Amino acid sequence: MFKNIQKYLLIHQPLLWNLKIVPISIVLVLFHILFFIIGYYNGTLNFLETERNYSSDNESITIFFGILSAIIILILWLVYYFKNNAFKSFYPKKNNSLFKEWLLILVICLLLSTFSASFISGKNIKIRSYFTESELKKRCEIISQASIFYEGSFQEPKEVEIKVNDTLKSVPLDYFVFQGKKYELNSLLNKNVESFSIFNSKEDSIRKVTVKTWLVNNEKNKVKSLFSDYLKIAKEHQLIANVDEEKWLALVYHYPNFVSEYKVATYEKDDYSNYNYSNNNEVAVAAIPENEEKFDTINRYIKYVGEERIVYNKYFVPASALNYNYSIISESYSNPLVNYEMLLVMFYFALGLSIALFSFRVTSGKSWLIALVSVGVFNIVLGITSAVASSEYVYLIGVASMITFVFIYFLFVIYRKKGKAISAILLNVLLWSYGAFFPILYFLAMIICKSLSNYYNYNGGVTINTEDANYKMYRLLEDNIEYMLYVNLAIIFIMMFFFSYKIKQWKGVAEN
Amino acid sequence: MNEFEKQYQELQGFLKFEDFSILTKRIIDLALDTEEIPHYKKTLDFLTWLDQNENNTEAKKEKYQTILSELYATLSKKPTASKQILVSTQNLEKSYGTSSFGLGPITLELQQGEILGLVGENGNGKTTLLRCLCGELYATNGTINYHFEGTNQYDLRTKLVYIPQRTDTWYGSMFENLQFTAASYGYKPEENELIVELTIARLGLRKFRNHSWKSLSSGYKMRFELARMLLRKPQILLIDEPLANLDILAQQTVLEDFKAIAKSPFRPIGIVLSSQQLYEVEKTSDQVIFLKHGKQKNLHEKAAAENEIVPENNLVIEFESDWAQSELGAIFEKKNMLSLQFNGGTYIVTFPESMSVYDFMQLAIEQKIPLQYFRNISKSTRRFFVS
């Protein structure tokens, strides 16, 4: 089939034949599907896993193999692509033909550079497939509400300033106030709640207040119902709790102060490999007999096996596992790894690669290599100069000037008709660097505005005037870097259209 | 009788004397001249039939006659091309910075259907002149005028096909490479394969279509380059030392091919070729420019007078003999010999205008001068090499 398609393209669309666009696209799409499937498979959650015992995932290995396969495919494709070069042989070309060729190279480079995106998308889609967003929110709401009732951190006490020996000293209060009433710091009303990224901070606050209001109002049934829902979720994931809603309620629900020495842990047991585990919060049931290998506390059994110390929780719900897995699902909605920023980075990478290949194609391997060395040397010299000058302007102005010079020289070579001279080398440099011209101007404008707005004197006591036009401009530029990069993409495309037209003219110029 | 009619009569002569090899090539040329797919197909069918009926002379003659008649019927209605000037140079000069070598001034004019031979020793500017004419080098002084359309320098250079002495390696199948060239030069998809088939058949490359570049001899590599060149529809073909790697038979074949291609009545092109093979080039070329230290010396009359070394109408004979220079000199002096040079195994003797080649032959017979060979080089650039 490939052969017939290639045969057809050879006589109908020689450029597409030369680019081997059909075979390479099919291979790349198959690889994307493969990486998507691997990602999808990789996205399967093991609900028994927690922060403590998660098995190392093979994401980085897969991404490494993705990069490796992309490099191998790129090399193989280039071997075939470089077999023919109509432009180098002065075969007839339309004015937009080179631009078209570059666009096609870009498409191939994009497909080559985004294996990891397919992998991550596959993974994300699988993770999202567990629950719809509304179902997830409902479940996270229950898990978060229930988190007040199992072992976890308390809010920090407020501090007051008191005068001790004529000096003011901050002293933490040993109570806190909720709805006008004082509570002990270890009251459930002072508990932090588990938060999920799918919620915003406002939703978190409302939830916290809702549950605590149940407690203040002694709405025991609501809490019991919450426990019941929570344990139902745990059961659904085959997770074990050794308390039911009644027991749980009995252990922690102590109206009106909600202080209990019993704690419902978030996991069944934990292993420690040394004796330095802190027992500060443990209250022993009986005196610890010397040389005894196990002892009992209100909330835990602690057992020593050789160097190992195993802590069994007397009462637990599978909160660690639920929190861990629901956080992952929550992240898949709120903060997917394949996002616009990531795609923008990948697009710029593919753009750079396509331009590097295109410049090699329209000039020669020799001039491409000389350009590479020249750019390296130029950057080292400029880097040293800016380090010596201790100015961030030197490097940016140096690169911008170089791009301007190379651009003018390139046009000059075309119009003077005296031979190409070193323009093949400089054409490579120009193509590689022109995409940086607008961002450089942008950053120059940004640091100039920053400098004019007294930003650098801020620490020296000069106050920033936030109404200052320069400061406003600086903030505007800083906040819109991403948009600048999108605009720059448009500039790169427009300029490439212009260059591809000019490169054809340049090719016609004699060699000497 | 127009050019086509003349060529057709010539082809009838080939048929009469059963010179099938050259006839086949010329039939392919005619088929390509028609620019019609049915003729391409018929000719290819005919070639396939020929492969299977190598020894059936009578049937072959009949088939040849049939296809010739069909081609004649089509082409006799087609207008022949009028010869246009393709390129002219006026005092073209090229120097290389600090190098002492300088080419020119060169003044020349090339028309469609003409072959211009460049001869001269190594390092005398042949390649430089070819590179100037193909747009690869700019002239330091003087002008080059192309008399055909080219919207820009790139487009112009697509019509000036230059084949350097050392050609680039082809990668992949030879046939696909040629199809790629044909497609790039705008041949329609339905005619692409037919034209490539005919072109490789024209250059005797059918057996090598699937060979790799590395497995080809240099002679066949040159033929593939020529096949590609034919597909590029050049206005001017510029070839550097095309005969350098060819055996004597292949040299004659390639030169004959050049002649046929250049002088197509319907699609004539101009050819400029450089070579060391003086006699072969002189036989084929319409103009010969001899370059010595970059300076132009013309063999024929077309060039400007100031560059011309006007043949002095002396009789110049190159010959090889076992006799010593003194023995020969004694005999030739009686016939008012102007000079006698011994030049690496051969003698060059110059007589005044009054002496003819017949007088020289008569003298050799009378004096029983042992001659291995002799050649009248009075009108050959060979004189420039020895002078």
Side-chain angles (χ1 to χ4, degrees), chain A residues 129-225:
Chain A
S129 73
Y130 281 96
F131 307 110
T132 61
E133 195 169 358
S134 58
E135 173 67 14
L136 178 72
K137 274 197 164 182
K138 213 169 94 188
R139 284 166 176 255
C140 286
E141 185 82 22
I142 294 166
I143 294 167
S144 182
Q145 285 175 343
S147 69
I148 288 182
F149 301 97
Y150 54 69
E151 207 172 4
S153 61
F154 292 89
Q155 286 178 42
E156 290 294 315
K158 281 188 177 170
E159 293 189 345
V160 286
E161 290 188 333
I162 54 167
K163 221 173 195 178
V164 181
N165 297 332
D166 289 338
T167 53
L168 280 172
K169 205 174 173 185
S170 287
V171 177
L173 291 174
D174 59 354
Y175 63 90
F176 81 100
V177 177
F178 183 73
Q179 294 186 354
K181 193 183 166 195
K182 284 184 183 177
Y183 292 93
E184 288 176 43
L185 288 175
N186 60 350
S187 164
L188 291 184
L189 288 160
N190 194 34
K191 272 290 299 291
N192 286 318
V193 296
E194 189 67 39
S195 179
F196 294 95
S197 57
I198 201 162
F199 298 122
N200 56 35
S201 56
K202 191 180 167 190
E203 285 171 318
D204 283 341
S205 298
I206 292 170
R207 187 179 326 108
K208 209 190 284 186
V209 171
T210 307
V211 179
K212 290 180 182 178
T213 309
W214 292 349
L215 298 183
V216 171
N217 297 338
N218 197 17
E219 293 180 82
K220 201 171 182 179
N221 285 340
K222 284 194 176 164
V223 177
K224 191 178 171 186
S225 165

Side-chain angles (χ1 to χ4, degrees), chain A residues 257-301:
Chain A
N257 292 325
F258 295 98
V259 176
S260 171
E261 57 187 346
Y262 292 101
K263 288 189 171 54
V264 175
T266 58
Y267 53 93
E268 184 186 1
K269 61 171 183 177
D270 219 340
D271 298 351
Y272 298 90
S273 55
N274 59 57
Y275 288 156
N276 296 328
Y277 170 70
S278 163
N279 290 338
N280 293 344
N281 297 323
E282 303 299 334
V283 180
V285 173
I288 303 170
E290 270 192 39
N291 303 323
E292 192 60 58
E293 288 190 332
K294 61 179 183 182
F295 67 95
D296 194 5
T297 71
I298 286 177
N299 291 309
R300 316 205 202 284
Y301 295 112

Side-chain angles (χ1 to χ4, degrees), chain B residues 3-33:
Chain B
E3 184 64 30
F4 171 61
E5 301 279 354
K6 274 188 223 162
Q7 289 194 9
Y8 185 70
Q9 292 304 321
E10 195 183 11
L11 297 190
Q12 289 293 352
F14 293 146
L15 181 59
K16 186 179 169 190
F17 293 104
E18 298 178 5
D19 196 349
F20 295 129
S21 168
I22 192 160
L23 185 56
T24 309
K25 287 182 181 180
R26 301 297 293 277
I27 281 174
I28 296 172
D29 286 339
L30 293 182
L32 290 168
D33 281 341

Side-chain angles (χ1 to χ4, degrees), chain A residues 1 4 9 16 19 49-50 75 101-102 135 137 155 180 228 296 308 331 359 361 364 371 397 432 449 497:
Chain A
M1 188 187 75
N4 286 338
L9 288 178
L16 298 187
L19 276 160
E49 282 187 350
T50 67
I75 292 168
E101 186 164 350
W102 172 69
E135 173 67 14
K137 274 197 164 182
Q155 286 178 42
S228 173
D296 194 5
E308 204 176 2
E331 285 282 322
S359 70
R361 184 81 174 162
S364 67
I397 292 172
W432 300 344
C449 290
F497 184 76

Side-chain angles (χ1 to χ4, degrees), chain A residues 375-387:
Chain A
V375 167
V377 171
F378 176 78
N379 274 287
I380 291 168
V381 171
L382 204 58
I384 293 169
T385 313
S386 29

Side-chain angles (χ1 to χ4, degrees), chain A residues 90 411-421 423 504-512, chain B residues 89 91-97 103 127-144 146 152-154 156-157 160:
Chain A
F90 285 98
L411 295 183
F412 175 68
V413 163
I414 294 172
Y415 292 111
R416 75 167 178 166
K417 295 193 173 170
K418 291 277 180 194
K420 285 196 178 90
S423 57
K504 190 184 156 190
Q505 286 184 349
W506 168 82
K507 183 72 180 168
V509 174
E511 302 303 319
N512 64 332
Chain B
T89 71
N91 296 324
L92 168 73
E93 286 182 47
K94 175 70 197 169
S95 57
Y96 290 96
L103 172 73
T127 303
T128 301
L129 179 55
L130 284 172
R131 291 182 70 197
C132 285
L133 290 174
C134 81
E136 211 176 281
L137 298 175
Y138 283 127
T140 316
N141 285 309
T143 54
I144 304 177
Y146 299 96
N152 57 41
Q153 193 71 5
Y154 182 91
L156 183 73
R157 288 180 70 175
L160 304 169

Side-chain angles (χ1 to χ4, degrees), chain A residues 6-15, chain B residues 183 188-190 192:
Chain A
Q6 279 298 91
K7 207 172 167 183
Y8 175 85
L9 288 178
L10 173 58
I11 55 177
H12 287 84
Q13 295 288 340
L15 175 62
Chain B
K188 289 179 210 140
E190 55 273 22
N192 184 299

